[in-house]
């Protein structure tokens, strides 16, 4: 039956269901109709009819699948322009929940896909920008490149934006490379303009397939006095690479980034790294930079890694005891009845059981510490557990050793947490913590227990090798902390060295003076226009073109006595700054740069030296840093592109990354809301079916 004299209402009430995107609402007299925009079929549009019958029609509508996108947009525009008045229509919350419809599958012709941006109503769609946004999302969150070929992702994208042409795996990889090249140029330009110098952290990674990788990270204090770090390279070392070739790989990367003349210090994650590697790098990069004559500040080892290493020595030495405790814990946790009996004995022994026994995860040695710590507290309970396997029983001597090892590990964990959790790990924070470990190792070596003293001696030998390389760098950084200056060095060295402390204190004092003099020469050359800030000093090698290059150094040294008091002398003579928890050392030096122009230039480079390279999430890993299977399966160049670019995008300061993350979060929120609506719809549908079945059964 045809509907004649159709009239549009003037004051419509907003139609909330998505179903009305596919129907025109018309009115004849007091009767409302819903006309399908696909097949022109007329259905009831009364407010009492709901929308279920409209949704069911759309599922059966044959013409809907061939409906063109442009026509659908035109219908929406017509509905906006020719608004219909619908009287006495109301929707309750329950009705809105039912107004869910499956995503529309829209077909459109190939020639609709254009390279230029599409104007969709009030917004613009740019395929190129969307492609790069997708690549950034994959990079930022570590998604596999193959996700663009997943069916679920394609369906989601097509229903979200039908005009977007879903790209292939190889295409999105090229987009990632495009972003990488753009960001690399930005980082390159920034490093070339940096006033200060650059410190390089060198970390070794591995994979489940036993492949080896080297990660090079630049650490520096920028011109705003903020501590920054950027991953420069993530290289794959194939089986043909030997340890000797590592120096060539590092030098090539420095040359590629053009920062060899800006290098101040290198930090290796392994204290046992071959010294020849450091020597070859030192010989090949520019020698004329402000540093000590013996090059000690150029070679730093990671503090957290050496503490990790000596902790592993302690755990390995106690392995037999740990195996027994691990077996005892497994037994206690094997059933609720045994655990209940265990807790009952604990109450009888008067032990506060606020802690529960835990089983460790051997690859995370801090979890082994937690297992040992709780086991030691429940020592008497384990002893009185009658059903415990005799093989798991510990002697009193073994319990005492376990208790001592727990105190060792507790100290190491506390100090590693200080290093890894610090948001601004400037070099000055390490000296007091490392000195405290040194003092404790000396005390542990004095133990009357031969087992403990032997273990402590082994741990101290490994620590001493680290200390011999890094003690001066640690001390210089501590001296540049205005809260400590030379006083902290004097305090700790008197405890560590005893009668020879004055000699060691003088070494630290001479070391910082020598480094300051090198910076003073560099500053003089900058003032004379002979060098640029951040560049290296003129080479002292044989150069027949200028036989008076050494004159600059001679002039500086002979004129020292004629000039006013130096920055360093002025700084050391003044009282120490009061200690407080809110102290920001970089901000202090930024404020005091006019007062100490040369010393502040030196402080920026020293404080930016990474004395530890371990991230918080890897701080207690027994097996070192490893790639996951997805990353290790990528080609080497692609792997470097994704890892480096992810680091750059996450740390860039221009705010673009924050905006992208915000937009992504909004998309996730919309997706989550849609899933919740779908879930509620399916739940209500299931409830209806269950009720119907129940009524049928009752009949």
């Amino acid at each position: 039956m045809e509907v004649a004299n159709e009239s549009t209402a003037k004051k419509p009430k907003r139609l909330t269901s998505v179903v009305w995107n596919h129907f025109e609402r018309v009115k004849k007299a007091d009767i409302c109709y819903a006309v399908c925009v696909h097949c022109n079929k007329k259905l009831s549009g009364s407010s009492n009819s709901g929308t279920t019958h409209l949704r069911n029609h759309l599922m059966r509508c044959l013409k809907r699948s061939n409906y063109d996108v442009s026509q659908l947009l035109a219908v929406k525009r017509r509905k906006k322009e020719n608004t219909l008045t619908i009287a006495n229509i109301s929707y309750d919350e329950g009705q809105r929940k039912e107004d869910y419809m499956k995503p529309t599958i829209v077909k459109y012709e190939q020639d609709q896909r254009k390279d230029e941006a599409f104007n969709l109503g009030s917004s613009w769609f740019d395929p190129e920008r969307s492609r790069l946004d997708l690549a950034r999302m994959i990079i930022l969150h570590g998604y596999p490149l193959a996700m663009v070929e997943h069916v679920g992702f394609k369906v989601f994208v097509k229903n979200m934006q039908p005009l977007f042409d879903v790209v292939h795996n190889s295409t999105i990889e090229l987009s990632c490379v495009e972003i990488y090249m753009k960001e690399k140029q930005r980082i390159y330009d920034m490093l070339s303009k940096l006033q200060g110098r650059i410190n390089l952290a060198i970390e070794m990674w591995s994979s489940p397939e036993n492949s080896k990788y080297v990660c090079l990270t630049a650490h520096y204090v920028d011109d705003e006095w903020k501590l920054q770090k950027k991953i420069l390279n993530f290289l794959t070392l194939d089986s043909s690479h030997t340890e000797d070739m590592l120096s060539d790989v590092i030098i090539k990367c420095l040359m590629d980034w053009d920062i060899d003349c800006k290098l101040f210090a290198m930090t290796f994650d392994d204290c046992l790294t071959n010294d020849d590697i450091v020597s070859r790098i030192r010989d090949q990069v520019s020698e004329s930079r402000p540093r000590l004559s013996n090059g000690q500040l150029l070679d730093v080892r990671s503090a957290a890694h050496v503490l990790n290493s000596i902790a592993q020595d302690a755990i390995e030495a106690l392995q037999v005891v740990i195996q027994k405790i691990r077996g005892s814990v497994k037994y206690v946790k094997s059933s609720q009845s045994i655990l209940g009996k265990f807790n009952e004995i604990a109450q009888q022994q008067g032990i506060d059981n606020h802690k529960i026994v835990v089983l460790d995860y051997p690859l995370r040695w801090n979890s082994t510490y937690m297992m040992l710590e709780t086991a030691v507290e429940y020592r008497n309970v384990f002893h009185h557990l009658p059903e415990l396997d005799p093989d798991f029983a510990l002697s009193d001597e073994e319990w005492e050793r376990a208790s001592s090892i727990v105190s060792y590990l507790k100290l190491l964990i506390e100090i590693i947490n200080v290093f890894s959790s610090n948001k601004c790990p400037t070099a000055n924070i390490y000296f007091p913590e490392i000195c405290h470990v040194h003092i404790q190792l000396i005390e542990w070596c004095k133990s009357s227990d031969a087992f403990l003293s032997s273990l402590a001696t082994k741990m101290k030998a490994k620590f001493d090798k680290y200390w011999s390389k890094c003690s001066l760098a640690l001390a210089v950084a501590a001296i540049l902390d205005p809260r400590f200056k030379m006083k902290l060095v004097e305090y700790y060295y008197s405890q560590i060295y005893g009668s020879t402390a004055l000699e060691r204190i003088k070494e630290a004092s001479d070391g910082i003076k020598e480094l300051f003099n090198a910076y003073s020469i560099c500053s003089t050359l900058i003032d004379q226009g002979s060098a640029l800030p951040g560049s290296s000093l003129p080479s002292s090698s044989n150069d027949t073109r200028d036989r008076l290059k050494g004159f600059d150094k001679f002039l500086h040294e002979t004129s020292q006595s004629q000039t006013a008091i130096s920055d360093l002398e002025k700084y050391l003579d003044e009282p120490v700054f009061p200690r407080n928890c809110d102290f920001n050392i970089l901000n202090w030096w930024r404020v005091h740069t006019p007062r100490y122009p040369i010393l502040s230039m030196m402080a920026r480079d020293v404080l930016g030296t990474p004395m530890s390279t371990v991230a918080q999430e890897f701080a207690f890993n027994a097996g070192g840093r490893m790639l996951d299977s997805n990353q290790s399966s990528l080609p080497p160049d692609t792997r470097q592109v994704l890892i480096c670019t992810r680091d750059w995008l996450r740390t860039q300061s221009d705010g673009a990354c924050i905006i992208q993350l915000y937009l992504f979060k909004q998309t996730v929120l919309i997706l989550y809301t849609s899933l919740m609506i779908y879930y509620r719809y399916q739940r209500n549908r299931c409830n209806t079916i269950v009720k119907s079945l129940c009524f049928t059964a009752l009949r």
Side-chain angles (χ1 to χ4, degrees), residues 283-536:
D283 292 341
Q284 294 197 39
V285 300
S286 178
E287 278 291 328
S288 302
R289 67 179 48 79
R291 60 179 176 83
L292 301 183
S293 57
N294 62 2
Q296 185 170 0
L297 285 182
L298 186 67
D299 180 13
V300 180
R301 304 302 164 95
S302 174
H305 281 81
V306 71
L307 298 184
N308 245 318
S309 180
I310 63 178
Q312 292 294 327
D313 289 342
I315 290 176
E316 183 180 351
L318 201 67
Q319 198 58 239
V320 175
V321 174
I322 291 174
Q323 290 291 353
K324 290 182 178 181
I325 292 177
R326 190 177 288 137
S328 300
V329 172
K330 285 181 179 179
Y331 172 74
V332 169
K333 297 177 73 68
S334 62
S335 69
Q336 286 296 326
S337 60
I338 297 176
L339 182 60
K341 186 178 296 185
F342 182 86
N343 292 330
E344 182 181 344
I345 297 174
Q347 290 180 355
Q348 294 173 358
Q349 294 290 324
I351 299 175
D352 183 12
N353 58 350
H354 64 282
K355 289 186 178 181
I356 60 174
V357 288
V358 292
L359 195 63
D360 69 328
Y361 177 59
L363 294 181
R364 299 275 297 179
W365 66 265
N366 60 330
S367 70
T368 303
Y369 158 76
M370 294 175 62
M371 181 184 72
L372 293 175
E373 183 187 38
T374 53
V376 168
E377 290 187 18
Y378 287 103
R379 168 181 175 177
N380 291 333
V381 182
F382 283 109
H383 182 70
H384 288 87
L385 199 63
E387 297 87 354
L388 184 64
D389 192 324
D391 292 338
F392 298 148
L394 273 72
S395 65
D396 291 340
E397 183 182 42
E398 288 176 321
W399 278 116
E400 290 299 327
R401 290 176 179 176
S403 180
S404 298
I405 297 299
V406 164
S407 65
Y408 296 178
L409 297 179
K410 182 179 181 180
L411 172 65
L412 298 177
I413 285 177
E414 289 174 350
I415 292 178
I416 291 176
N417 281 332
V418 170
F419 298 161
S420 61
S421 62
N422 197 298
K423 294 181 180 179
C424 186
T426 46
N428 59 300
I429 70 172
Y430 294 88
F431 181 76
E433 305 293 343
I434 294 299
C435 285
H436 187 66
V437 173
H438 198 168
I439 294 170
Q440 290 301 313
L441 283 169
I442 294 173
E443 292 299 317
W444 295 344
C445 289
K446 300 176 182 177
S447 174
S448 57
D449 188 314
F451 169 81
L452 294 176
S453 63
S454 174
L455 171 62
T457 301
K458 179 181 178 181
M459 295 163 67
K460 189 174 182 300
K462 188 174 293 185
F463 178 86
D464 286 344
K465 185 171 183 179
Y466 163 80
W467 180 258
S468 65
K469 289 181 176 297
C470 304
S471 59
L472 184 55
L474 293 167
V476 168
I479 295 170
L480 291 173
D481 190 326
R483 300 169 298 172
F484 305 134
K485 301 186 179 181
M486 286 296 303
K487 294 298 181 182
L488 190 67
V489 176
E490 295 169 2
Y491 170 74
Y492 276 114
Y493 277 14
S494 62
Q495 299 179 63
I496 293 172
Y497 294 111
S499 59
T500 61
L502 290 179
E503 299 176 10
R504 301 293 184 172
I505 293 170
K506 186 176 184 304
E507 287 179 6
S509 178
D510 292 344
I512 194 170
K513 288 177 182 177
E514 183 182 349
L515 185 62
F516 176 77
N517 289 338
Y519 271 85
S520 298
I521 297 172
C522 184
S523 177
T524 302
L525 295 177
I526 292 173
D527 293 339
Q528 296 174 353
S530 302
L532 296 175
S535 63
S536 61

Side-chain angles (χ1 to χ4, degrees), residues 163-316:
L163 295 176
F164 180 64
D165 187 12
V166 180
V167 296
H168 296 289
N169 190 341
S170 57
T171 305
I172 203 67
E173 183 176 346
L174 292 176
S175 299
C176 293
V177 173
E178 180 182 346
I179 296 172
Y180 166 79
M181 296 304 296
K182 181 179 178 181
E183 291 298 320
K184 182 178 181 180
Q185 186 61 47
R186 184 179 65 84
I187 301 296
Y188 180 90
D189 294 340
M190 181 272 299
L191 293 178
S192 64
K193 298 175 183 176
L194 187 67
Q195 295 295 308
R197 288 173 174 80
I198 294 170
N199 301 282
L200 190 68
I202 302 163
E203 300 174 87
M204 302 303 296
W205 288 53
S206 60
S207 70
E209 298 78 20
N210 292 324
S211 298
K212 300 297 181 183
Y213 313 92
V214 59
C215 180
L216 306 181
T217 307
H219 294 251
Y220 58 92
V221 176
D222 64 18
D223 297 336
E224 300 297 324
W225 285 88
K226 303 292 183 183
L227 188 63
Q228 305 285 358
K229 65 175 183 177
K230 306 285 184 186
I231 294 179
L232 301 183
N233 295 93
F234 194 90
L235 305 171
T236 303
L237 303 177
D238 56 40
S239 56
S240 63
H241 274 87
T242 61
E243 193 175 59
D244 295 341
M245 297 175 65
L246 181 60
S247 58
D248 297 329
V249 172
I250 296 172
I251 292 170
K252 183 180 184 304
C253 292
L254 292 174
M255 299 295 184
D256 290 343
W257 284 95
D258 199 20
I259 58 173
D260 55 304
C261 62
K262 285 177 170 286
L263 186 64
F264 179 73
M266 293 184 301
T267 303
F268 292 86
D269 58 358
D270 187 0
C271 189
L272 302 178
T273 300
N274 194 334
D275 292 340
D276 292 339
I277 295 176
V278 181
S279 299
R280 281 192 290 271
I281 297 174
R282 184 187 298 125
D283 292 341
Q284 294 197 39
V285 300
S286 178
E287 278 291 328
S288 302
R289 67 179 48 79
R291 60 179 176 83
L292 301 183
S293 57
N294 62 2
Q296 185 170 0
L297 285 182
L298 186 67
D299 180 13
V300 180
R301 304 302 164 95
S302 174
H305 281 81
V306 71
L307 298 184
N308 245 318
S309 180
I310 63 178
Q312 292 294 327
D313 289 342
I315 290 176
E316 183 180 351

Side-chain angles (χ1 to χ4, degrees), residues 674-689:
S674 301
L675 289 173
M676 289 301 297
I677 293 173
Y678 179 72
Y679 162 74
R680 290 169 182 167
Y681 165 72
Q682 293 290 359
R683 183 184 62 185
N684 293 337
R685 184 180 177 188
C686 289
N687 289 339
T688 302
I689 295 172

